[in-house]
Amino acid sequence: MDHDAMDVAEARYELVISVDARRSGEYDDVDKPRMRARIYRVLEAAFTHAKVARDAVHMEDRGDGVLLAVAGRIAVTRLLGLWLVEVHENLRDENRALRVPLGLRVGMHVGPVRHDDRGISGRAVDLACRLADSPVARRLLDAERADLVLVVSDALYEDVVSSGGKFIEPAHYALARLKIKEGDVNAWFHLPGRPAPVIPAGDPPTAAEAAPADGPPPASDTPSVSDTPPASDTPSASETDTPRAHYTVHGDMSQHSDNVYQQPVHIGRITEQRKG
């Protein structure tokens, strides 16, 4: 009996990795095969240097990216640590000779994965793909002019990343709330070799989102990446104990408040006294 041949109903608990290329639709028919070849060189060299056996990795081509599932016998910390470092370094090497650098978005999640003759499936696969394809990952890659952005699920961060490890720095991850097809989820974003990124703001809200039927959403400490724009930095009258004042000014004016002076000072413009 072939113990590696598992029924479709059985699921293996594996690390799912979704890799997408930045703006793949902008590559023409000549450049796209070269782009795809670069992605495979980057990933496969990283597996080699991280000492991850080829038979431990399931790899599916996605045209503008790659979908991977790594067997549970491989420590997840090795993929989040050494493997990711190697991917980043290999990608930088590839980009040195390119006028338009290749950018990669990588989504990771651990969960049950089902294998069949055509590939892999399961909610873990769906989530990893959603993370890599999220608008926040796209915006972050562009806003930071980075080569690589990693997005991990909240469960993966809590179970593995938060404990740290070799080449794993939890303080360099930033939390954001994502809206995906299956519902809202927390995700953690990381730019290899950099401190925790600032999560970019979302797009302007639609008319329906600006006036939800059930009223405003509850406040949250988690940075939101919904389509609601950030609130203004200017406090409203209800947010301060000092009442607002209104002035009509004809000429020069200066306003000072809550100042502490250590010696006599003169505020304002000195003018010549008129003798009458």
Side-chain angles (χ1 to χ4, degrees), residues 12-275:
R12 314 176 191 184
Y13 205 76
E14 298 180 331
L15 174 68
V16 182
I17 306 174
S18 177
V19 181
D20 284 340
R22 171 174 49 198
R23 295 197 182 94
S24 60
E26 297 181 7
Y27 289 87
D28 60 28
D29 289 348
V30 174
D31 288 332
K32 185 159 287 189
R34 297 170 183 167
M35 176 268 287
R36 286 160 44 79
R38 292 186 188 102
I39 294 175
Y40 279 95
R41 280 200 300 269
V42 165
L43 300 179
E44 291 173 343
F47 280 122
T48 299
H49 285 100
K51 294 181 170 54
V52 177
R54 187 64 186 86
D55 63 359
V57 181
H58 168 86
M59 189 176 294
E60 287 183 31
D61 185 77
R62 289 298 180 97
D64 57 354
V66 183
L67 178 63
L68 309 110
V70 183
R73 70 176 187 268
I74 305 298
V76 176
T77 51
R78 193 186 308 177
L79 279 302
L80 282 165
L82 180 57
W83 181 80
L84 188 67
V85 169
E86 291 292 340
V87 169
H88 187 219
E89 289 302 316
N90 295 341
L91 184 58
R92 292 175 63 188
D93 287 342
E94 289 283 345
N95 282 338
R96 285 194 177 98
L98 299 179
R99 181 178 58 84
V100 179
L102 172 63
L104 296 180
R105 303 185 309 274
V106 178
M108 285 191 186
H109 178 55
V110 172
V113 178
R114 286 174 168 79
H115 293 250
D116 58 32
D117 293 339
R118 294 175 177 82
I120 58 176
S121 63
R123 295 178 65 182
V125 176
D126 295 341
L127 180 54
C129 293
R130 300 276 191 264
L131 297 179
D133 195 44
S134 65
V136 178
R138 294 172 180 271
R139 289 197 297 268
L140 190 58
L141 200 62
D142 289 338
E144 297 293 336
R145 297 185 179 181
D147 297 313
L148 177 67
V149 59
L150 170 68
V151 193
V152 301
S153 65
D154 192 44
L156 182 55
Y157 180 89
E158 293 297 333
D159 292 345
V160 182
V161 177
S162 63
S163 299
K166 190 173 183 180
F167 304 119
I168 301 176
E169 299 179 272
H172 289 191
Y173 286 70
L175 174 63
R177 188 75 171 168
L178 301 182
K179 291 182 179 295
I180 63 174
K181 292 181 179 179
E182 293 78 12
D184 292 2
V185 297
N186 286 338
W188 294 82
F189 292 77
H190 173 55
L191 299 173
R194 304 191 189 189
V198 176
I199 302 300
D203 298 324
T206 65
E209 292 167 332
D214 297 329
S220 172
D221 293 333
T222 301
S224 174
V225 293
S226 66
D227 292 334
T228 304
S232 169
D233 291 333
T234 303
S236 65
S238 62
E239 294 172 333
T240 177
D241 296 331
T242 304
R244 292 189 175 190
H246 299 272
Y247 305 92
T248 301
V249 179
H250 302 283
D252 297 331
M253 173 184 172
S254 64
Q255 180 178 346
H256 305 265
S257 62
D258 300 327
N259 296 316
V260 178
Y261 304 102
Q262 304 299 326
Q263 59 184 5
V265 297
H266 174 84
I267 299 175
R269 187 173 60 183
I270 300 177
T271 60
E272 182 182 355
Q273 275 192 333
R274 298 178 62 183
K275 298 178 180 180

